């Protein structure tokens, strides 16, 4: 029986009647099938011409092939001795191109749920995909993620922000909270770069020490400024691996952590006085403002004042710099902005089935977010000049001053 061919006049008439070009019953689907099978037939002809004379065609095998615009039953020619290996559509291949896979990964990187991804793919291509298929496609990110986590790093980074975010991950039949450690850097060009993601059962100085050791092993020999929260032992962990690094405690974390000790009726007035401390123009002015804060509130809130006094050296490091440098380092806002992006990706997820399901989603989000990190931060040249003065001799080998 003669195989039906693509009829141009019928296609034009179908188009005029409003039929879709693409999709399951689209006008172009028979043409795609016809062209693909013709190409496979040509491959078989070439294969037989190069092989022993006794080999010949031996019927066809059929399978469903998905394309970016439709799906159809493809007849692939077979040869008698089974030596034919088609190249256009390989033996176990079920997609004509990887466009649909790229679309699935793109939707996944936006935090789109599997249910919504299935709906999008059905709408775009007329193809039903399962959760298992989506998972298998996004699992292709895992080797790439592993290579990214193990890549070599630059020998020097002027500024690092380090923080952790917590997620629920299923383990032994129940969900447990785990910490994802995020390390965001500014490289010598002033561009943001996420150096790594690390997963641990909890957040602590010991885990940070292990992470800093890994960063050192991956090539980082010097860090000028590290911006961190108030986690106990964190500055000491940094000093163990990078003894010359200047540590700046996050002012905002310090405020959040100790405002709970201030009565709600006094918080507004206390914050107004505290703002005079951390927003002072100079270190001397800040110290005067802190003395005034203690004189006014020290009897009522000694724990709060004592904390500021005990951490003063690490809280006040940013005062040696001009405003455009201070803005970058006095908080961990830069890495917290990455965490806000992570939360957008994961907001529909109550928990994750395993560690890989979380990490591949965060990695996909990183790839998307880093597209916007193609330019240096504001005032980077001025900032670099200031850093070269304050950290004399440590930048010359890495930049042209």
């Amino acid at each position: 029986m003669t195989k039906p061919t693509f009829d141009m006049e019928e296609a034009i008439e179908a188009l005029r009647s409003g039929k879709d070009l693409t999709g399951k019953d689209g006008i172009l689907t028979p043409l795609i099938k016809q062209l693909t099978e013709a190409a496979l037939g040509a491959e078989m002809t070439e294969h037989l011409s190069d092989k022993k004379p006794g080999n010949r065609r031996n019927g066809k095998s059929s399978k469903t092939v998905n394309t970016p615009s439709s799906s159809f039953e493809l007849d692939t020619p077979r040869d008698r001795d089974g030596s034919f290996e088609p190249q256009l559509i390989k033996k176990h291949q079920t997609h004509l191109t990887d466009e649909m896979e790229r679309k699935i990964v793109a939707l996944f990187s936006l935090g789109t749920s599997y249910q919504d991804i299935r709906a999008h793919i059905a709408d775009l291509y007329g193809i039903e995909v399962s959760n298992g298929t989506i998972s298998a496609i996004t699992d292709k990110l895992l080797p790439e993620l592993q290579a990214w986590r193990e890549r070599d790093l630059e020998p020097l980074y002027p500024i690092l922000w380090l923080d952790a975010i917590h997620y629920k991950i299923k383990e032994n039949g129940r969900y447990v909270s785990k910490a994802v450690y995020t390390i965001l850097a500014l490289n010598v060009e002033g561009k943001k770069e996420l150096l790594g993601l690390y997963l641990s059962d909890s957040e602590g100085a010991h885990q940070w020490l292990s992470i800093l050791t890994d960063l050192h092993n991956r090539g980082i020999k010097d860090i000028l400024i590290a911006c961190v929260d108030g986690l106990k032992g964190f500055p000491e962990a940094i000093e163990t691996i990078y003894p010359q690094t200047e540590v700046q405690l996050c002012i905002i974390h310090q405020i959040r952590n100790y405002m709970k000790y201030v009565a709600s009726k006094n918080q507004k007035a206390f914050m107004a006085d505290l703002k005079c401390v951390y927003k002072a123009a100079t270190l001397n002015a800040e110290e005067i403002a802190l003395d005034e804060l203690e004189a006014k509130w020290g009897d009522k809130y000694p724990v709060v004042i004592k904390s500021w006094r005990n951490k003063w050296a690490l809280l006040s490091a940013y005062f040696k710099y001009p405003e455009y440098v201070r803005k970058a380092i006095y908080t961990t806002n830069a890495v917290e902005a990455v965490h806000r992006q992570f939360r957008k990706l994961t907001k529909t997820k109550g928990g994750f089935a395993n560690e890989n399901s979380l990490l591949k989603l965060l990695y996909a989000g990183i790839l998307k977010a880093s597209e916007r990190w193609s330019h240096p931060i504001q005032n980077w040249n001025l900032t670099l000049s200031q850093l070269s003065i304050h950290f004399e001799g440590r930048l010359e080998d890495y930049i042209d001053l």
Side-chain angles (χ1 to χ4, degrees), residues 145 148-151 153 157 160-163 180-185 193-199 208 211 214-215 218 220 335 338-339 342 359 362-363 366 373:
L145 165 63
W148 176 82
R149 295 173 76 187
E150 296 175 354
R151 76 194 188 281
L153 299 173
Y157 287 90
L160 253 63
W161 297 274
L162 306 97
D163 201 7
V180 175
Y181 296 79
T182 311
I183 300 93
L184 179 68
E193 180 183 343
L194 204 57
L195 304 185
L197 290 174
Y198 299 82
L199 195 64
W208 276 115
I211 290 165
D214 183 70
L215 294 177
R218 288 169 59 197
I220 302 180
V335 69
V338 175
H339 287 171
F342 286 171
L359 289 174
L362 298 185
Y363 176 65
I366 290 166
W373 297 346

Side-chain angles (χ1 to χ4, degrees), residues 366-382:
I366 290 166
L367 296 179
K368 193 71 178 175
S370 61
E371 293 174 1
R372 302 191 296 272
W373 297 346
S374 57
H375 299 289
I377 64 168
Q378 279 189 324
N379 300 308
W380 177 244
N381 287 335
L382 292 173

Side-chain angles (χ1 to χ4, degrees), residues 167-178 351-355 357:
Y167 287 101
K168 297 289 186 182
I169 298 175
K170 197 169 187 179
E171 193 174 85
N172 298 323
R174 63 188 184 91
Y175 286 96
V176 297
S177 180
K178 294 201 174 188
F352 290 85
N354 51 56
E355 294 181 358
S357 64

Side-chain angles (χ1 to χ4, degrees), residues 340-351:
R340 285 194 293 273
Q341 179 67 24
F342 286 171
R343 289 188 183 96
K344 287 181 181 178
L345 294 175
T346 60
K347 65 183 179 182
T348 61
K349 315 287 193 301

Side-chain angles (χ1 to χ4, degrees), residues 26 64 109 153 220 229 233-234 241 271 285 291 329 359 368 372:
T64 301
S109 70
L153 299 173
I220 302 180
D229 60 20
F234 204 165
I241 308 298
M271 273 301 303
D291 289 339
I329 66 173
L359 289 174
K368 193 71 178 175
R372 302 191 296 272

